[in-house]
Amino acid sequence: MEFLTDEQTEAYGKFAEEPTRPGLERFFFLDDVDRDRRRPAAPACPNAPELDEDECD
């Protein structure tokens, strides 16, 4: 089922105009609660967590 026009399909996922820095900062603002919820750093060897970092090379 196609419900988008060709023009809408072409524009999908793109900004209508270049975003401004203040606009992006407002949209992507992280407060202290958000920062505390961040994911912990990934292990140096994600496929072999039992190895030390020196053994990953």
Side-chain angles (χ1 to χ4, degrees):
M1 173 171 60
E2 292 189 27
F3 55 92
L4 297 177
T5 66
D6 291 340
E7 184 178 300
Q8 290 171 321
T9 302
E10 178 66 29
Y12 183 78
K14 299 176 184 174
F15 290 107
E17 56 188 46
E18 189 71 26
T20 63
R21 183 167 184 94
L24 290 174
E25 287 173 350
R26 233 181 4 260
F27 187 76
F28 291 105
F29 176 76
L30 295 178
D31 61 15
D32 293 336
V33 173
D34 294 324
R35 285 189 197 98
D36 292 341
R37 282 192 244 178
R38 286 190 303 184
R39 198 189 302 183
C45 297
N47 296 327
E50 67 279 358
L51 297 177
D52 291 332
E53 285 186 33
D54 296 337
E55 297 176 90
C56 292
D57 297 330

